[in-house]
Amino acid sequence: MSTIESARGPIDTADLGTTLMHEHVFVLTPDVQQNFPENWGDEDARVEDAVQRLEAVYDSGIRTIVDPTVIGLGRYIPRIQAIAERVRINIVVATGVYTYEDAPFFFHYRGPALNEALGMEIPDPMVDMFVTDITDGIAGTGVKAGMLKCAIDSPGLTSGVERVMRAVAKAHLATGTPITVHTHPGTQTGLLVKRVMCDEEGVDPSRIVLGHSGDTTDCDHLQELADAGFVLGMDRFGINLDTTFEARADTLIEMVRRGYSHQMVLSQDASCYIDWVDPNVMAFLPQWNYTHIVDEVVPYVLERGVSQEQIDTMLVDVPRRFFDGP
Ligand SMILES: [Zn+2]
């Protein structure tokens, strides 16, 4: 038996069930919220809203969500823990740092940033912070991280992005906890993940989800990444601003047709509340919600040649295998 940590404690990976590999409960900017709290409003009302939404996800057949909300996205585990106690769905939480450019200021004069001044190699405190979140739990809650997370977007491999990426790779090698990386397939940043994390740091690509792979329709590029051994995160269904429902779904169908259902996971990158988006804009994203895949994507692809078995592979078997490890 293999176990994975959730916000309610360890669960058998055989019990993960139908799993959405990239959904947030909340995405927040804590220092803005602390100083301008009227946007967030009443804490109890937000928690109650999250409980209702997550119960509805469970009713749709989903049994687990992986919430890759880390430093830079407003992670606050006491709130997630309280919500997890009131819902049936499993919530797997993550550790890591989310940035497209610099490491957070907290790290600017710590660890390797001091190498030159001190004339010696200083280990990165990020690595210990991530490992502690995985082995001892997060901020005294007892909740342990089940996933590592970093990001590389269109700015590419900045020094801050590279620093976080290497720290995540080292924490993975120390713990075996798998990794999800926010990538930007339009500029093929998955290839930089391969160079830094796999070729140089030694991470097995099968332990990495290349998140947001479904943001491109370039199936040849996706095939190249899958052939390198990565899991592809087709994990932004419903965010149809720069693309369309059909473009995302047809890309999934084509990758299944090419034989990659055993290397894809499905999700929506949705949340109960994200303070990055003007609430008025949400009206233009009606499909960006937790049940869009079950309600709309699955029926669409089933009608166009994808089998129920292949759906189950992507929603059940690949997540379980990913957390089981080698
Ligand atoms: Zn996300």
Side-chain angles (χ1 to χ4, degrees), residues 111-112 114-123:
L114 303 175
N115 284 357
E116 203 171 317
L118 298 180
M120 56 190 288
E121 290 273 319
I122 314 290

Side-chain angles (χ1 to χ4, degrees), residues 222-244:
L222 295 180
Q223 183 167 345
E224 177 186 17
L225 296 170
D227 288 343
F230 291 105
V231 177
L232 304 178
M234 312 303 272
D235 53 15
R236 275 181 157 178
F237 281 103
I239 308 183
N240 300 326
L241 276 178
D242 301 327
T243 183
T244 62

Side-chain angles (χ1 to χ4, degrees), residues 253-264:
I253 292 165
E254 173 60 13
M255 290 304 292
V256 169
R257 191 194 66 77
R258 293 188 189 195
Y260 293 99
S261 59
H262 59 290
Q263 275 179 270
M264 291 192 285

Side-chain angles (χ1 to χ4, degrees), residues 71-73 96-109 113 124 126 150-153 155-165:
I71 304 306
L73 293 167
V97 168
Y98 182 87
T99 180
Y100 302 166
E101 309 254 7
D102 291 339
F105 277 112
F106 180 89
F107 298 102
H108 273 216
Y109 298 100
D124 200 324
M126 266 185 233
C150 57
I152 177 165
D153 203 87
L157 195 65
T158 67
S159 61
V161 163
E162 181 173 354
R163 181 175 166 186
V164 175
M165 205 175 261

